[in-house]
Amino acid sequence: MPKPKRGSTPANTTHGATNVIAKPLDWETDQVTSSLVESGTRRSFDAVIACDCIYNDALIEPLVQTCVDACKLRSLEASDSENPSICIVAQQLRSAEVFEGWLQVFHKSFRVWHVPDEVLIDGLKSDSGFVVHVGVLR
């Protein structure tokens, strides 16, 4: 299997009978359009999930803009505009400066909540070096 491009998920994946679909997306080069939604009736995402995607300053702006673009698709879908897409970002804390830079940029476009350790699995709790945030477009 070829190595995934920087800023992309490793593969198209659908698990069991769920509606969860993971698709590769290079946030520095790919366009976010409703064609990414694999549904005949839906044209937007319920959730956008980014895990361990922020590890240097150069990735902050393109990643946040991609999250904004993906979540904005919901506002174009009149039937579901009252149920906004959510953006879930889990990240390993490698650099305080990069994390703070991401949070400042993300907060400009999203209302942001830190997910408390009580609701996370052990591998994502703050003592493991990870933090999880949920955002909803402003």
Side-chain angles (χ1 to χ4, degrees):
M1 175 176 234
K3 181 179 175 189
K5 295 189 289 184
R6 180 177 60 138
S8 65
T9 58
N12 271 359
T13 309
T14 303
H15 296 283
T18 69
N19 291 327
V20 176
I21 299 169
K23 297 192 66 149
L25 178 66
D26 186 326
W27 58 82
E28 292 184 289
T29 61
D30 292 345
Q31 292 288 324
V32 175
T33 67
S34 60
S35 66
L36 293 170
V37 181
E38 291 186 357
S39 170
T41 58
R42 302 299 303 261
R43 299 185 50 80
S44 64
F45 302 100
D46 293 324
V48 175
I49 302 171
C51 186
D52 203 23
C53 295
I54 305 153
Y55 35 86
N56 70 51
D57 290 327
L59 298 174
I60 294 171
E61 290 284 344
L63 176 64
V64 171
Q65 187 58 55
T66 298
C67 293
V68 167
D69 294 344
C71 290
K72 274 187 179 177
L73 290 175
R74 181 56 57 96
S75 65
L76 303 174
E77 189 171 9
S79 65
D80 225 355
S81 61
E82 291 184 17
N83 297 312
S85 297
I86 63 169
C87 186
I88 304 163
V89 182
Q91 57 190 301
Q92 185 176 11
L93 296 174
R94 293 182 176 90
S95 160
E97 293 82 20
V98 172
F99 169 73
E100 290 295 327
W102 166 80
L103 189 57
Q104 287 177 359
V105 173
F106 192 71
H107 189 260
K108 288 177 187 175
S109 298
F110 290 87
R111 291 175 301 192
V112 184
W113 294 268
H114 176 260
V115 179
D117 281 349
E118 301 85 63
V119 298
L120 295 172
I121 62 170
D122 287 342
L124 288 176
K125 292 183 178 181
S126 56
D127 64 357
S128 69
F130 282 83
V131 291
V132 181
H133 290 84
V134 173
V136 175
L137 277 176
R138 293 185 176 277

